[in-house]
Amino acid sequence: MIKLAPSVLAADFSCLGEEIKKVHENGAEYLHLDVMDGMFVPNISMGPGMIASIRKVSDIVFDVHLMIQDPIRYIDDFAKAGADIITFHYEACDNHREVIEKIHSHGIRAGMSVKPYTDANLMVPFLDELELALVMTVQPGFGGQKFMLEAMPNLEKLNAAIKASGREIDLEVDGGINLENAHIVKERGANVLVAGSAVFGAKDVAATVREFLK
Ligand code: DX5
Ligand code: ZN
């Protein structure tokens, strides 16, 4: 079963409560929350305060994607803000096991991500402790970019490694996903599709969510 994770980055921040309600009611299971620090990526987005405030209006699964350097510094804050899943970048630290343990200490799910040109095999040794693996299909930092086919070998590698592990691990893709290319990632084993502009930029957001899930 495919899960859709609409990315708030492309939503209208002035009426986030309504935007979230619309996607949840139409079948989106996860809400993707992109956190950018202006260091790991050249952009700044939202912090734990904003996540805590939208936590009050929705019980959708909060899928927090940390694009921040040295993520261990902020795991406690994002867990307390209401994250259900926290994903950090392989490239952002060298204490991966510690970060995963810290996430798990809050009783929430841990995810790890690689940028398009990082070899996803580097993540394989950690699969025994992860609940989610995220393949970036654009360079992280901005919504609205073009999907990169170059990232497909990463998706294929992780799909094979997850199958071999025998564990239930979400395989998520993020960046430039739309109704036209969704089949490309689905065929390669992705079961969670992040979509920002394709969902919140659509004329009919509700219909687009339903279309994705078909
Ligand atoms: C990019 C973010 C994405 C982004 C996706 O750094 O991680 O989640 O919001 O947006 P679209 O779907 O517009 O590429
Ligand atoms: Zn993201």
Side-chain angles (χ1 to χ4, degrees), residues 79-91:
K80 284 181 198 142
D84 296 293
I85 307 168
I86 295 181
T87 297
F88 66 100
H89 270 264
Y90 175 83
E91 304 90 346

Side-chain angles (χ1 to χ4, degrees), residues 1-4 27 29 170 186 189-193 213:
M1 265 295 277
I2 290 287
K3 294 174 197 159
L4 185 66
E29 276 186 55
D170 275 335
K186 184 175 173 247
N191 75 312
V192 183
L193 310 190
L213 294 169

Side-chain angles (χ1 to χ4, degrees), residues 57-77:
V57 299
S58 179
D59 61 359
I60 192 169
V61 173
F62 275 14
D63 170 31
V64 175
H65 177 194
L66 296 184
M67 285 161 275
I68 66 176
Q69 201 61 45
D70 200 9
I72 199 144
R73 299 175 295 146
Y74 289 101
I75 302 300
D76 290 343
D77 290 349

Side-chain angles (χ1 to χ4, degrees), residues 107-152:
I108 61 179
R109 291 179 254 170
M112 194 187 282
S113 180
V114 280
K115 295 183 190 182
Y117 294 121
T118 301
D119 184 352
N121 279 335
L122 293 165
M123 263 172 65
V124 172
F126 301 101
L127 287 179
D128 59 341
E129 294 180 53
L130 294 170
E131 285 74 41
L132 184 145
L134 168 58
V135 171
M136 288 306 300
T137 45
V138 297
Q139 287 294 357
F142 299 91
Q145 304 182 76
K146 193 174 173 290
F147 173 77
M148 292 169 63
L149 262 182
E150 300 96 302
M152 291 306 94

Side-chain angles (χ1 to χ4, degrees), residues 5 7-10 32-36 41 65 67 89 134 136-147 173-178 194-199:
S7 169
V8 157
L9 204 58
H32 190 76
L33 296 152
D34 286 305
V35 177
M36 304 177 181
V41 289
H65 177 194
M67 285 161 275
H89 270 264
L134 168 58
M136 288 306 300
T137 45
V138 297
Q139 287 294 357
F142 299 91
Q145 304 182 76
K146 193 174 173 290
F147 173 77
V173 284
D174 181 9
I177 304 293
N178 55 39
V194 175
S197 28
V199 169

